[in-house]
């Protein structure tokens, strides 16, 4: 999935808002690489907020990783997450949210694979409160990333009256075995099988 999303979704370099976070699409031309995968060097992402927000996709059905966040005071924190496969897995796997989906992709030869859904997902990991992010180190393996940004993820309103916990909005959700579901046992890794 190294060259497909940009030309079909937004102009290279465009600002795109997903889940309240502003991302800058990579500036690669159609048919050229536009994601980061297996990057060992630090990536400069700076700012303050409640979460590190990421846009990416998995290249396998078990694409998990841990991002390391480096703060300006020299301390670090880590966040573990899972992203669904770019085409062939329940889009809520691991608590991710579908950011965009398009039919087909651009390659060096032009538009191809127009019957396949190519998808990019949103996930976020919490940051240490009150600290300023200096850089991040992305995980390797079967994960590819299009963009990262620091965002504030506001808390939902406090519940009033009597409420079931399962009726409240998730603040964060991760499930390493299928999509996060309400009022179901885990079952297997498909949605609704609990």
């Amino acid at each position: 999935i190294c060259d497909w999303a940009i030309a079909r979704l937004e102009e290279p370099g465009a600002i795109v808002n997903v889940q309240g976070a502003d991302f800058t699409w990579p500036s690669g031309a159609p048919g050229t690489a536009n994601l980061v995968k297996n990057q060992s060097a630090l990536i400069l992402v700076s700012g303050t907020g409640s979460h590190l927000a990421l846009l990416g996709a998995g290249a396998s059905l078990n694409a998990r990783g841990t991002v390391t966040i480096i703060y300006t005071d020299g301390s670090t924190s880590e966040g573990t997450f899972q992203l669904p496969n770019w085409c062939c897995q329940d889009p809520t796997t691991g608590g991710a949210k579908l950011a965009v989906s398009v039919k087909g992709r651009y390659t060096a030869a032009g538009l191809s694979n127009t019957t396949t859904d190519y998808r990019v997902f949103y996930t976020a990991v919490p940051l240490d409160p009150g600290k300023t992010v200096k850089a991040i180190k992305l995980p390797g393996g079967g994960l590819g990333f299009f963009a990262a940004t620091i965002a504030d993820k506001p808390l939902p309103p406090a519940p009033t009256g009597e409420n079931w916990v399962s009726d409240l909005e998730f603040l964060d959700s991760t499930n390493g075995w299928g999509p996060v579901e309400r009022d179901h046992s885990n079952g297997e890794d498909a949605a609704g099988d609990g």
Side-chain angles (χ1 to χ4, degrees):
I1 60 170
C2 64
D3 60 1
W4 52 271
I6 299 306
R8 299 292 317 274
L9 301 172
E10 295 290 337
E11 289 296 317
I15 303 297
V16 178
N17 186 282
V18 180
Q19 298 288 320
D22 288 332
F23 294 92
T24 302
W25 281 113
S27 57
T32 63
N34 59 13
L35 65 76
V36 174
K37 188 173 180 184
N38 295 322
Q39 170 75 29
S40 60
L42 296 180
I43 296 173
L44 298 179
V45 177
S46 61
T48 58
S50 63
H51 285 75
L52 169 66
L54 300 163
L55 290 183
S60 70
L61 296 180
N62 193 24
R64 303 166 197 252
T66 300
V67 61
T68 302
I69 300 134
I70 298 101
Y71 299 98
T72 55
D73 66 3
S75 64
T76 62
S77 66
E78 293 184 337
T80 301
F81 59 91
Q82 179 177 7
L83 288 173
N85 181 272
W86 58 271
C87 76
C88 313
Q89 191 173 18
D90 184 304
T92 62
T93 296
K97 294 182 175 34
L98 180 64
V100 288
S101 179
V102 296
K103 292 278 190 195
R105 68 178 179 146
Y106 279 101
T107 67
L111 182 61
S112 64
N113 307 102
T114 56
T115 60
T116 302
D117 288 315
Y118 288 82
R119 307 175 306 175
V120 175
F121 299 93
Y122 166 93
T123 194
V125 296
L127 298 172
D128 287 352
K131 294 194 175 187
T132 301
V133 175
K134 178 180 179 181
I136 61 173
K137 184 171 184 343
L138 295 170
L143 292 161
F145 300 93
F146 291 94
T149 191
I150 306 301
D152 275 315
K153 200 170 164 185
L155 294 174
T160 59
E162 291 187 25
N163 295 281
W164 293 97
V165 171
S166 62
D167 292 336
L168 300 177
E169 184 179 333
F170 288 129
L171 296 180
D172 217 351
S173 61
T174 301
N175 183 11
W177 189 250
V180 174
E181 299 181 89
R182 294 180 186 273
D183 299 325
H184 289 273
S185 64
N186 220 20
E188 292 297 322
D189 60 351
D193 65 1

